[in-house]
Amino acid sequence: MYRKTRREKHKITGVTIFLLSAALLFCMAGCGRKEDASDEAESTLSQDNPPEHIVTIGFSQIGSESDWRMASTKSVQEAFAAHEGFELIYNDGQQKQENQIKAIREFIDQDVDYILLDPCVETGWDSALLEAKEAGIPVIVYDREVVVSDNSLYTAWIGSDFYLEGKKACTWLREYLQAIGYYGDVNIVDIQGTFGASAQIGRSRALDEAVSENSRWHLIGQETGDFTTSKGREVMEEMLIQHGGNINVVYCENDNEAYGAIEAITKAGYKIGSDFAAHEMLILSFDSTSEGLRLTKEGKIAVNTECSPLYGPRLVRMIEQMEAGEKPEFRTYIEEEQFSAFTGIGSLRIDGDSYFVTRVTDELLDEREY
Ligand code: GZL
């Protein structure tokens, strides 16, 4: 079910232009306009090869709330800009679903060939996606997921396994506490992502399960930081007022929240670390952005679980596939790593699979694309 209507329109337009131009050339020749054979040959030649069909993609991006988001937008924009036959129409949803739904409807009115959607939250998309389907416009969802009543409302999804990301972070924490010989109580606060976003749902679920499986782990605070530095700082300040130095672990659901939490902890006079008796606090984070990894190398973030934003080239390939009439995989997960400055944990075993933990070095920081 791919866009033919627009291409048919182009074909009709192309033929019309050719006939009109041929008629115009014929009149001009009769009106004594001197044009040599090469010109006529050339103009005929150019009429035989109308410009290649430009594939238009309406891109509904969530917003610009985090370093990760900016890297994601850059990756998509650069990948499509590097491809001659594509025109990307970007819309910044400013982290509001109503803005993204409005953008989808505008793209339908503009009769784009494809819609690319990173959905701020998982639910509430059925009607907008049905309108796109009825207009014959394929929708590709990437990064976060949609939960809809009928999966034929979108063509494909490519993204992260957020639940696995959370399990990696919690498994690392369990291994780390064992490695440092700490078997006491662990008071954890969770600065969640945007409520209802796939990344928040998966990462929070993994933590909730880990807390229920570890009798000494206590989840003493859970509040959305909306994936931003400012909200992360604000939530951490509130949690410090409530719990003070009784907080042992801060589970930040993205790097920007971690930046804000570290600022708040330091400003309140506490130290980052694992000497819980001295009221030090351990920071866990997600995304593995360049700033997040710099803080990880310094030991400010104990473990950083990667969530790659580099979807651009994959999405270009997916649309090229569809343009060639091929059907893309309906669901594709991308591979992701995990980073720490602590060298005592080289890998983790989760549900029978092994995952490496990579030590952050200057060389690694230099190589990172985001
Ligand atoms: C995850 C992505 C999240 C990042 C945040 O795939 O949707 O949104 O973890 C970003 O940094 O704001």
Side-chain angles (χ1 to χ4, degrees), residues 151-172:
N151 276 345
S152 72
L153 290 177
Y154 63 100
T155 301
W157 170 83
I158 179 170
S160 301
D161 185 339
F162 304 110
Y163 178 45
L164 174 61
E165 290 174 358
K167 287 197 284 188
K168 284 175 165 178
C170 295
T171 304
W172 185 91

Side-chain angles (χ1 to χ4, degrees), residues 65-66 68-69 143-144 162 199 203 227 253-254 287 307:
E65 74 281 0
S66 62
W68 187 100
R69 184 65 50 204
D143 175 30
R144 301 181 192 177
F162 304 110
R203 293 167 189 166
F227 287 133
E253 296 190 3
N254 88 326
D287 282 355
C307 175

Side-chain angles (χ1 to χ4, degrees), residues 169-240:
C170 295
T171 304
W172 185 91
L173 177 60
R174 191 191 66 222
E175 301 283 310
Y176 175 74
L177 295 174
Q178 281 170 13
I180 63 172
Y182 181 82
Y183 298 97
D185 284 337
V186 185
N187 294 326
I188 302 167
V189 294
D190 177 10
I191 305 182
Q192 296 178 293
T194 301
F195 215 65
S198 311
Q200 176 273 313
I201 293 168
R203 293 167 189 166
S204 295
R205 176 186 161 203
L207 177 63
D208 292 343
E209 288 179 359
V211 168
S212 63
E213 289 157 7
N214 293 278
S215 59
R216 305 303 295 262
W217 291 19
H218 313 287
L219 187 54
I220 61 173
Q222 203 168 37
E223 179 65 51
T224 180
D226 219 10
F227 287 133
T228 65
T229 301
S230 55
K231 189 81 168 105
R233 184 189 312 113
E234 191 185 302
V235 166
M236 191 68 228
E237 285 166 352
E238 284 161 21
M239 288 178 170
L240 287 165

Side-chain angles (χ1 to χ4, degrees), residues 319-331:
I319 290 185
E320 284 176 331
Q321 249 189 308
M322 294 166 75
E323 278 296 290
E326 295 162 29
K327 196 168 170 53
E329 283 295 319
F330 183 61
R331 282 180 71 77

Side-chain angles (χ1 to χ4, degrees), residues 3-23:
R3 239 23 206 135
K4 298 291 180 204
T5 321
R6 185 183 173 81
R7 203 166 298 116
E8 281 155 10
K9 274 184 200 165
H10 266 266
K11 214 185 311 181
I12 294 163
T13 313
V15 170
T16 312
I17 289 172
F18 173 70
L19 290 172
L20 283 174
S21 310

